[in-house]
Amino acid sequence: YMNAWMASVTIGVYPTVFTGIQEAASRVGASLTLRHLDFNAFDVEGLQRMMERDQGVIFLVEIDRHVSHLTVKRPTISVCSRSSFQGSISTIDLDPEQTAELAAKHFFAKNIKNACVITHDSPAYQARAEAFQRVFSQKSGSCELAIMPEQFQPKMRVGYVFTTGTIAQTYSL
């Protein structure tokens, strides 16, 4: 299950993963079916039925914040999820600690000592934000957290970290 909008988006983590999946499928002659799931309106039973119907499933969304338990009967991969559902789902994620270290190193190399993390209130995004804040503070930087502000007006000499690509893409346009 891959969000249909992925085909038109050209930056961020998910489009990169999606492109790699398409290339790998092409090399081995596998076909992919795109399905858009509205995670604000789906039900767990419907998701379970869809997962049982296909030969394999790839979620390009963090499903662990939407469901507490799934019975997985097909090979399943989830990108940016933290739960492997008792080992039944292979998870692909950016390590928050390594990402925080890399971002902090970048800012300090640019002589930026103040940072702001633009995040979302979901647990996965909060964990990434808190990891950066902790790492940056340990290196004598000053860091604040902001939950998706309505308007984004960057300040000079402040480094910005976005814990979600969707927000970063919205603000970059």
Side-chain angles (χ1 to χ4, degrees), residues 65 116-122 125-126 129 145-152 161-168 170-171:
R65 69 183 169 127
C116 178
V117 181
I118 309 292
T119 189
H120 186 271
D121 60 2
S122 73
Y125 296 131
Q126 286 294 303
L145 303 180
I147 303 292
M148 295 192 315
E150 292 281 327
Q151 298 291 322
F152 176 64
V161 175
F162 295 88
T163 63
T164 164
T166 304
I167 296 171
T170 299
Y171 290 145

Side-chain angles (χ1 to χ4, degrees), residues 31-95:
S31 64
L32 298 173
T33 301
L34 285 176
R35 292 202 183 103
H36 174 71
L37 294 178
D38 180 352
F39 276 102
N40 295 318
F42 88 102
D43 63 273
V44 177
E45 292 78 22
L47 178 61
Q48 190 70 53
R49 283 191 303 277
M50 286 186 276
M51 289 180 68
E52 291 171 3
R53 181 175 58 217
D54 294 314
Q55 292 177 328
V57 181
I58 301 170
F59 288 102
L60 292 184
V61 67
E62 52 284 333
I63 62 170
D64 49 348
R65 69 183 169 127
H66 300 288
V67 295
S68 60
H69 179 73
L70 286 175
T71 303
V72 180
K73 297 179 179 177
R74 303 285 190 263
T76 304
I77 297 170
S78 182
V79 177
C80 290
S81 291
R82 303 306 263 167
S83 173
S84 69
F85 293 86
Q86 295 77 44
S88 60
I89 294 179
S90 293
T91 58
I92 301 170
D93 202 355
L94 300 174
D95 180 82

